[in-house]
Amino acid sequence: MKRINLLLCAFLSTAMLACAQKPTTARQPSEWTGTWATAVEKPGQGDMPQSSLSNRSLRQIVHVSLGGEMLRLRLSNVQSSTPVDIKSVYIADATYMSRINAATATYLTFGGNRNLTLQGGEEMVSDVVAYHLRPQQRLAITINYGERTPEEASCHRGSRTTSYIITGESTPESDFSHGEEAVHWYNIASIDVKGRCNTAIAILGNSITDGRGSTTDAQDRWTDFFAEALSENSASTHMGVLNLGIGGNCVVRGGLSEPGVVRFDRDVLGQTGIGNIIIFEGTNDIGSFGEHNPNIADQLIAAYQEFIRKGHERGLKVYGATITPVKGSFYYSEKREAQRQRVNEWIRTTADKATDGQLHFDGCIDFDAAVRDPQDPAALRADLQDDWLHLNPAGYKLMGEVAAEFFIQICMTSQLYPISSNF
């Protein structure tokens, strides 16, 4: 992979040495690490299937990061107030569209039973199952629903991946090709794999992390490219990537779904086996409030510092990513651009201020420098943009490579993986 050292912020000597230090808070060792996760939210208008999920079968496809021989699945009903009945859940290697390799199909159990009921506000982790999960593979998760399902299921709206729904209870041999399609995930929250050498990176983000501008079913979000690049380098093959982005999400208030300050504990700190956190969110706060709120930059920085405090209390490394340009989109104005620059300058310089008594990021991933137009730094490069706010797959590929280079440098310099709860 092409070296992009000029894009790494000037934190390297301090941050890389910090990765070799012991966590500030002792944690119990864990053999489990997240390989895939999503942020569970309430559906918006038009986000539910045309018909109820009751007595229907839903097949969903996910793109994992780490592989393993033992795994467990977490189902979630935390955003719903009514129960969901599930007759059975099975996983299998996904092949093409709704198709699976039926020979790999494996039913999951929950407390020894195939069936379960998730009450409103509840989540449940499956029993451990033996399964040959390959790094970077596409996995199909099929849920056979029972009689009761919420009118508004706990979901993730921006799956950028097609889910398939048929009537009745399916088996691994069932044909989903003529079923209803929905580009959303329902009731699935995370997958963990067993392995003491692993660690995960949890990413708090908005639509750019969620994949707006990427290709449906192509798995070409920047986090997908990030995970693939890490897996190709011997220094970072054991690092999982967990995408907790939500389109339209804000950090401080407003936006779609719960703001970052509300959902951080559940969506980020609640993940399994994380050693690192990336905070890449704030463009919606500035775009929504920056024109009339001169303090939005300071409010974002204060929220970042709270994320840092919580992460450091758990012995985690917390990295900031600079906010990317928006000129040419409806978010742009000179006032908003000034606030974006203010926030980015704080993110870039935090590593040099470790002795000023304030909380700072452990390092900076400079996405802004990577994707901006050299002739017009307030705008994205034309060949990387989708709508002058979001990037296209080429832009996401570059972002993923920049993030991977950042962590590979850390791993190579410290000669160990960034500390996680697995060690």
Side-chain angles (χ1 to χ4, degrees), residues 134-149:
R134 303 182 309 279
Q136 306 304 310
Q137 82 158 78
R138 293 167 67 249
L139 184 72
I141 305 167
T142 306
I143 301 175
N144 288 314
Y145 285 98
E147 185 66 32
R148 295 180 299 173
T149 59

Side-chain angles (χ1 to χ4, degrees), residues 10 13 42 52 84 128 138 156 162 185 216 226 229 276 316 345 354 361 407:
S13 59
K42 294 181 183 295
S52 168
V84 55
V128 178
R138 293 167 67 249
H156 184 81
T162 306
W185 287 315
T216 299
F226 179 27
N276 309 275
L316 307 175
E345 182 62 22
F361 285 123
F407 279 94

Side-chain angles (χ1 to χ4, degrees), residues 290-302:
E291 193 69 20
H292 305 291
N293 181 358
N295 298 318
I296 192 64
D298 291 331
Q299 292 169 6
L300 278 171
I301 291 169

Side-chain angles (χ1 to χ4, degrees), residues 112-395:
N113 302 310
R114 284 190 180 183
N115 66 299
L116 69 149
T117 295
L118 285 173
Q119 300 298 329
E122 186 180 21
E123 62 182 19
M124 188 175 297
V125 178
S126 74
D127 301 328
V128 178
V129 65
Y131 192 90
H132 179 60
L133 186 71
R134 303 182 309 279
Q136 306 304 310
Q137 82 158 78
R138 293 167 67 249
L139 184 72
I141 305 167
T142 306
I143 301 175
N144 288 314
Y145 285 98
E147 185 66 32
R148 295 180 299 173
T149 59
E151 292 184 6
E152 295 185 345
S154 297
C155 74
H156 184 81
R157 291 177 284 179
S159 66
R160 270 80 199 181
T161 305
T162 306
S163 298
Y164 307 89
I165 308 168
I166 61 173
T167 301
E169 184 172 356
S170 71
T171 70
E173 289 74 28
S174 296
D175 182 5
F176 280 72
S177 62
H178 299 293
E180 181 183 345
E181 297 183 359
V183 190
H184 313 290
W185 287 315
Y186 304 99
N187 294 123
I188 55 175
S190 64
I191 300 171
D192 301 333
V193 292
K194 197 171 186 179
R196 290 186 60 83
C197 291
N198 296 331
T199 187
I201 304 164
I203 303 160
L204 182 74
N206 48 43
S207 57
I208 297 177
T209 296
D210 207 18
R212 176 73 179 269
S214 65
T215 310
T216 299
D217 296 324
Q219 316 300 334
D220 53 12
R221 312 166 190 85
W222 77 262
T223 54
D224 295 305
F225 290 116
F226 179 27
E228 290 167 6
L230 289 176
S231 71
E232 292 170 356
N233 189 287
S234 60
S236 55
T237 53
H238 295 280
M239 301 180 76
V241 174
L242 307 180
N243 183 334
L244 289 319
I246 293 180
N249 196 235
C250 286
V251 174
V252 179
R253 65 182 180 277
L256 297 181
S257 299
E258 297 166 314
V261 292
V262 174
R263 70 186 186 93
F264 181 78
D265 288 8
R266 180 190 66 241
D267 289 351
V268 175
L269 297 181
Q271 301 303 324
T272 303
I274 60 172
N276 309 275
I277 297 169
I278 297 173
I279 306 298
F280 178 42
E281 187 163 13
T283 191
N284 291 326
D285 296 75
I286 295 172
S288 299
F289 305 107
E291 193 69 20
H292 305 291
N293 181 358
N295 298 318
I296 192 64
D298 291 331
Q299 292 169 6
L300 278 171
I301 291 169
Y304 296 157
Q305 290 180 314
E306 183 66 6
F307 297 152
I308 295 165
R309 182 189 67 78
K310 289 182 175 182
H312 285 178
E313 284 181 349
R314 291 159 176 79
L316 307 175
K317 298 297 176 184
V318 186
Y319 302 101
T322 51
I323 300 171
T324 48
V326 300
K327 187 176 180 181
S329 79
F330 64 95
Y331 268 179
Y332 181 78
S333 74
E334 291 185 359
K335 287 183 179 179
R336 292 170 180 144
E337 176 62 13
Q339 293 183 70
R340 185 180 76 90
Q341 293 293 345
R342 161 91 170 90
V343 172
N344 281 353
E345 182 62 22
W346 185 85
I347 294 172
R348 288 189 180 104
T349 58
T350 51
D352 297 326
K353 300 180 179 179
T355 60
D356 68 356
Q358 299 183 27
L359 290 170
H360 297 291
F361 285 123
D362 295 295
C364 161
I365 303 171
D366 203 338
F367 286 148
D368 172 45
V371 301
R372 68 192 179 201
D373 184 344
Q375 305 305 316
D376 188 0
L380 294 166
R381 276 172 44 185
D383 60 323
L384 302 180
Q385 64 85 28
D386 178 67
D387 57 6
W388 299 107
L389 173 59
H390 304 92
L391 291 94
N392 60 26

